[in-house]
Amino acid sequence: MSRPAASELAIELYRDPPVSREHNVTTEARWFRWLLTGIALVFLALFLVMPLLDVFYEAFQYGVATYLQALEDPDTLDAVMMTLLVAAIAVPLNIVFGIVAAWAVAKFDFKGKSLLTTLIDLPFSVSPVVAGLVFVLLFGAQGVFGPFLAAHRIPIIFAVPGIVLATLFVTFPFVARELIPVMEAQGKSDEEAALTLGASPLKMFWTVTIPNIRWGLLYGVLLCNARAMGEFGAVSVVSGHIIGGTNTMPLHIQILNEGGDTAAAFSVASLLALLALVTLVAKTLLEWRYGDELARSHKH
C-alpha cells in the first residue's frame, strides 16, 4: 500500500482535523492555565464585581422606601429623562454615521482611507474632557461660533445640543468599529449580484446589506448605548451642571455625593449600573442565542 503524498495528507487533515489537534495548540501545563484563569477571576472579583455589589448594598442599606424616595425625587427624574433623551438622539445618529463610515472604508478604495480609519479611532485616544473643551472653544460664548449663535439665540453649550454633541463625539467609533471588519470580510459580491439582478440601490441595502451586518450592528448599538448613558467627562464640561436642566445621571450622582446625600447618590448609581447590566445581559443573550452567526460575521 503506497503512502499518501504530503499534499493529499494536508488536504485530508484540513477536511477532517483530528480532535486532539485543537487541544495541542497550547502546551502550558494545566496548573499554569488554572493559575492564569484564577488571577483573572480574582482581579475581576476585586475590581469589578465587589465594587458593583457595594453600590447596590449602599443603595439599599437604608431600606427600600428610602431607595424609592431617592429615585422619585424630581431632580433625579429629570436626570434620568435627560440621560435617556441624549441616548435616544446620539445612538440613532451614530448608527447612521457608523454604517456610512463602515461602507466607505470597506467598499471603496480612495486616498486618505487610512486617515479616515484613524480619525474614527480618535475618540478612543482623546480624553473626554478635552473633547468637551473643544466644543466649548467652538460654540461657547467666547468661541469661534459663539457670537453668531448668541445673535440668533441658538443655545449649544450648557444646553441639550452641547450634551448631544459631546456624547456623539465619545461614542461614534462603537458602531463603525463593529461594522468595518464585518463589511470587509463580506466583500461586495452580494451587493453586486443584487444590482445585477435588477434590485434598486435602496432595495439592495435593505434586503442584502442590512441582513448581512445585523448582528455586528446590534452589537455596536449595545456598546454605543451603554457608553452614551454613562458618559461623564465630556458631558460635564459642556452641560453646566444645571439641576433639573442639563444634568444627566452621572452628573447628578456627583452632585448628590458632593452634597453629602450618599444614600440618594448610591440609589441613582445603582439605577445607572442596572441599565448597564441590562445592556450586558442583552449582549450575553445575543452571544448565547446567535453565537455562531456572530462569530461568522466577525471573522475576517
Side-chain angles (χ1 to χ4, degrees):
M1 183 177 179
S2 61
R3 298 177 58 185
S7 58
E8 295 176 349
L9 182 59
I11 293 173
E12 189 65 26
L13 286 173
Y14 176 79
R15 290 174 175 170
D16 188 17
V19 176
S20 60
R21 193 178 67 168
E22 181 182 348
H23 302 287
N24 290 333
V25 175
T26 58
T27 57
E28 289 83 1
R30 176 173 297 181
W31 68 267
F32 187 71
R33 280 179 278 170
W34 279 105
L35 177 63
L36 293 182
T37 305
I39 291 174
L41 290 176
V42 169
F43 186 89
L44 290 175
L46 288 176
F47 296 102
L48 184 64
V49 177
M50 288 184 63
L52 197 58
L53 291 177
D54 187 55
V55 167
F56 284 95
Y57 170 76
E58 295 289 344
F60 285 99
Q61 69 169 332
Y62 299 107
V64 176
T66 303
Y67 178 84
L68 294 177
Q69 184 180 1
L71 295 185
E72 292 171 352
D73 182 78
D75 293 337
T76 299
L77 293 177
D78 288 338
V80 172
M81 293 304 296
M82 178 59 66
T83 302
L84 296 178
L85 173 65
V86 172
I89 298 173
V91 173
L93 290 176
N94 273 323
I95 292 174
V96 175
F97 168 79
I99 293 175
V100 170
W103 187 286
V105 172
K107 307 292 184 182
F108 304 142
D109 292 321
F110 55 92
K111 291 183 179 179
K113 185 175 178 178
S114 299
L115 177 62
L116 176 60
T117 307
T118 302
L119 290 177
I120 290 173
D121 291 335
L122 186 63
F124 286 142
S125 58
V126 174
S127 166
V129 175
V130 175
L133 288 174
V134 169
F135 288 113
V136 171
L137 291 174
L138 288 175
F139 304 114
Q142 307 299 323
V144 177
F145 303 106
F148 173 83
L149 296 173
H152 294 80
R153 297 183 179 182
I154 302 175
I156 300 293
I157 301 301
F158 304 154
V160 174
I163 301 174
V164 171
L165 286 174
T167 305
L168 276 172
F169 180 89
V170 298
T171 57
F172 77 70
F174 289 95
V175 175
R177 263 297 160 202
E178 285 296 322
L179 293 182
I180 288 174
V182 174
M183 286 188 172
E184 286 180 336
Q186 290 173 347
K188 298 182 285 187
S189 58
D190 290 347
E191 282 86 357
E192 290 173 348
L195 292 174
T196 302
L197 293 173
S200 65
L202 185 60
K203 186 175 182 180
M204 174 210 69
F205 177 75
W206 285 111
T207 58
V208 177
T209 303
I210 289 296
N212 283 342
I213 66 172
R214 62 188 186 280
W215 301 123
L217 178 62
L218 184 56
Y219 205 78
V221 169
L222 289 174
L223 296 177
C224 180
N225 183 64
R227 180 61 190 273
M229 289 192 299
E231 173 55 27
F232 177 84
V235 171
S236 176
V237 175
V238 301
S239 71
H241 297 259
I242 302 172
I243 297 176
T246 60
N247 255 0
T248 59
M249 291 175 70
L251 303 183
H252 192 57
I253 292 168
Q254 183 198 30
I255 291 175
L256 291 172
N257 188 53
E258 291 180 347
D261 194 352
T262 54
F266 279 106
S267 298
V268 181
S270 69
L271 180 60
L272 186 59
L274 192 61
L275 292 174
L277 289 175
V278 169
T279 302
L280 182 64
V281 170
K283 170 179 167 292
T284 304
L285 290 175
L286 184 67
E287 292 175 338
W288 172 73
R289 177 63 178 84
Y290 303 102
D292 294 339
E293 293 184 55
L294 279 170
R296 284 196 296 271
S297 68
H298 280 77
K299 190 179 293 183
H300 62 283

